Amino acid sequence: MGLRTAAILLFCFFTFTANAQTDTIKLTFPDAEKQFLENNFALLAQKYNVESTKALVDQAALWDNPVLSTDQNIYDSGSKKFFYHNESRGLGQVFVQLNQVFKTAGKRGKQIQVAKDNAKVQEAEFNDLMRNLRYNLQLDFGQLATLLDQAAVYRNEIAAATNLVNGIQKSYDAGNTSMKDLIRLKALLFGLQNDMTESARQINDLQTELKTLIQAKETTFIVPLTGDLPTQSAELNIPSLIEQAKTNRPDYLSNQYQLAAAQHNLSLQKAMAAPDITIGASYDKNSSYAQNYYGLQIGLPLPFFNRNQGNIKSARFSQMSQENTLKDNEAKLKNDVVAAVNEYNLNQQLFSTQQLEFNGQYDTLFKNMLKGFKDRQVSLVEFVDFFDTYKDTKLKMLQQRYNLQKAIADLNFATGTTIIKP
């Protein structure tokens, strides 16, 4: 396969991938985010878990069922009959009892509170999953846009390099160019083709991740549409951002709810040491001093041995563990916010409108250098050096744009809310 053929195949690969597929869709980030919220299966599964936990609050509020029991003779040896009662002679025993357990020490209310705490934890975990998946969506979206822009740089350079190789090949065949110059250009083209192939692999991986996140059709090719990034640094007050993070970050809220659940569980376990009261009524015929006996029953376990000591001790240690987990999470939250602010400020300083002007000037210079080389006004060594520098600079400029996008995503992720719109 010749170099020209390889270049055409690579060019066609990107052209077909990005444009020729029937399912190519162009999405802004708000559009992608909307599809993600509506269709992502991981979010839907976690949402059902939230509803499942909320149902347990209703379960905790239910009263214990009353217990109805009876005791009768199964077989009468005199009459040789089963379940026999001689009503005419007043023979046969009937015993019926109805019991109801009444919880003491506010156990029922405490159980409801623990169930509510668990429901809040589950809801916070749902929000944290959504926060993490949305963050991944934003990064994949920005990186895919960057790689597609980089692919355009490779296509332009490969097209230019291919034309140069074809021209130098003819000149070499005519004996007007050395093999060294021809091989140097072919090596340059080969390097560009390899870089483009690697970029294609990364694009394919990101397409797979993005389509899974928004549940797009598997044959779809997504083309991200990105807007302008802020060219001036926003005023970011770190103490204020930390307070916003404490209010909005679901992982921190989840730890707060877990601490509340641990505290309420300790209170519940202490209450469980108090015995519950069982109150019942009974009716007994023909087994007591009275033919028809009506009785009132009161049952109370005596807490001599089991006073729920182990569960109380376990709940107390769980509370202490959760207190330290919350402190650790708070320290991590503060460091995340500070790091995100510093990263944003650093990338914002590097990204400015001057880069856009420089980009246009650099493209014009590339055309002039290409024309100068064809007219033999620029040497091969000088042109190849410029060619490499031009490619590296263009790619770095695109990468710097993505770095600022990522810094914005990191800042919003660290605070749990939208501080700067992506």
Side-chain angles (χ1 to χ4, degrees):
M1 179 185 295
L3 289 175
R4 181 180 182 184
T5 304
I8 292 175
L9 287 176
L10 282 170
F11 181 80
C12 289
F13 168 78
F14 277 97
T15 303
F16 173 80
T17 302
N19 301 316
Q21 283 193 11
T22 56
D23 296 327
T24 298
I25 57 173
K26 297 180 179 180
L27 288 177
T28 62
F29 182 74
D31 293 335
E33 186 177 30
K34 181 181 179 181
Q35 291 191 34
F36 157 72
L37 293 174
E38 292 176 352
N39 303 324
N40 187 269
F41 288 138
L43 278 182
L44 293 175
Q46 184 66 17
K47 186 176 181 180
Y48 290 129
N49 287 336
V50 173
E51 296 303 320
S52 174
T53 310
K54 286 182 178 179
L56 296 180
V57 178
D58 297 332
Q59 181 63 37
L62 299 178
W63 284 73
D64 293 331
N65 291 323
V67 178
L68 177 65
S69 59
T70 182
D71 183 5
Q72 300 185 40
N73 58 314
I74 298 177
Y75 179 73
D76 183 71
S77 60
S79 62
K80 297 182 179 180
K81 294 181 180 179
F82 289 93
F83 302 104
Y84 175 72
H85 298 273
N86 192 335
E87 298 293 340
S88 62
R89 297 176 58 187
L91 301 177
Q93 179 191 358
V94 175
F95 178 78
V96 179
Q97 184 182 57
L98 182 66
N99 291 326
Q100 175 67 54
V101 175
F102 293 89
K103 295 183 181 296
T104 62
K107 294 189 188 73
R108 185 166 167 269
K110 290 178 171 62
Q111 287 175 334
I112 294 173
Q113 185 58 59
V114 170
K116 288 181 178 179
D117 292 335
N118 291 334
K120 288 182 179 180
V121 170
Q122 196 67 238
E123 190 168 6
E125 289 180 354
F126 166 76
N127 292 331
D128 192 43
L129 174 64
M130 181 167 61
R131 166 176 168 260
N132 281 277
L133 290 177
R134 185 182 181 276
Y135 174 72
N136 293 336
L137 174 69
Q138 191 170 349
L139 293 188
D140 288 349
F141 192 86
Q143 191 172 6
L144 180 59
T146 300
L147 286 172
L148 289 175
D149 288 339
Q150 290 179 348
V153 174
Y154 286 125
R155 285 200 302 270
N156 292 336
E157 287 218 330
I158 287 175
T162 300
N163 290 332
L164 286 177
V165 167
N166 293 335
I168 295 297
Q169 181 69 55
K170 292 178 181 179
S171 178
Y172 171 77
D173 294 339
N176 298 325
T177 302
S178 66
M179 180 177 289
K180 180 182 69 174
D181 292 345
L182 177 62
I183 295 300
R184 182 73 182 272
L185 284 177
K186 285 185 176 182
L188 177 65
L189 179 57
F190 180 74
L192 290 172
Q193 291 167 348
N194 277 340
D195 291 343
M196 190 174 183
T197 301
E198 180 59 32
S199 179
R201 292 194 186 98
Q202 295 180 45
I203 289 174
N204 184 58
D205 291 341
L206 284 172
Q207 286 285 337
T208 301
E209 292 180 15
L210 202 53
K211 284 184 288 188
T212 301
L213 284 170
I214 68 175
Q215 292 302 314
K217 189 177 179 182
E218 61 274 6
T219 56
T220 298
F221 187 88
I222 300 173
V223 178
L225 301 177
T226 58
D228 296 332
L229 292 174
T231 56
Q232 291 184 349
S233 181
E235 293 293 331
L236 301 175
N237 182 272
I238 290 179
S240 175
L241 292 177
I242 289 176
E243 291 306 312
Q244 290 187 62
K246 289 182 178 180
T247 303
N248 295 292
R249 271 183 57 161
D251 58 333
Y252 182 75
L253 294 176
S254 176
N255 277 278
Q256 285 186 319
Y257 297 147
Q258 289 180 54
L259 175 58
Q263 293 170 338
H264 291 142
N265 183 54
L266 177 59
S267 177
L268 173 62
Q269 296 306 321
K270 290 180 178 179
M272 293 293 286
D276 296 329
I277 298 176
T278 301
I279 299 177
S282 63
Y283 169 73
D284 193 344
K285 179 180 180 181
N286 291 336
S287 72
S288 179
Y289 66 92
Q291 184 179 7
N292 295 298
Y293 174 81
Y294 297 91
L296 172 65
Q297 296 180 332
I298 298 177
L300 182 68
L302 300 178
F304 291 154
F305 307 109
N306 183 359
R307 295 188 300 277
N308 209 36
Q309 302 96 314
N311 288 332
I312 292 174
K313 187 176 182 180
S314 175
R316 183 176 290 110
F317 281 121
S318 294
Q319 176 183 325
M320 295 169 63
S321 173
Q322 196 55 48
E323 287 173 351
N324 286 280
T325 299
L326 181 61
K327 291 178 182 178
D328 180 71
N329 188 262
E330 182 176 353
K332 183 177 182 300
L333 178 148
K334 293 178 179 178
N335 288 326
D336 287 346
V337 171
V338 173
V341 170
N342 292 338
E343 186 68 19
Y344 172 76
N345 290 333
L346 177 63
N347 283 280
Q348 183 60 60
Q349 291 174 2
L350 296 175
F351 186 83
S352 64
T353 54
Q354 294 180 356
Q355 287 192 2
L356 301 177
E357 298 175 1
F358 174 71
N359 191 28
Q361 295 172 352
Y362 212 25
D363 289 339
T364 302
L365 179 60
F366 176 77
K367 294 177 182 178
N368 293 335
M369 289 291 290
L370 184 61
K371 183 177 182 301
F373 178 72
K374 290 179 180 179
D375 295 341
R376 297 185 180 276
Q377 297 175 352
V378 177
S379 67
L380 176 63
V381 174
E382 185 179 3
F383 177 76
V384 169
D385 287 343
F386 175 80
F387 206 87
D388 285 336
T389 303
Y390 173 80
K391 179 198 69 175
D392 292 340
T393 302
K394 292 284 287 187
L395 296 182
K396 286 178 180 178
M397 292 174 69
L398 293 172
Q399 184 62 41
Q400 181 53 45
R401 178 184 177 86
Y402 170 71
N403 290 343
L404 180 56
Q405 289 177 323
K406 184 178 182 301
I408 292 174
D410 289 344
L411 180 61
N412 294 337
F413 183 76
T415 55
T417 186
T418 303
I419 301 300
I420 300 175
K421 290 184 178 181

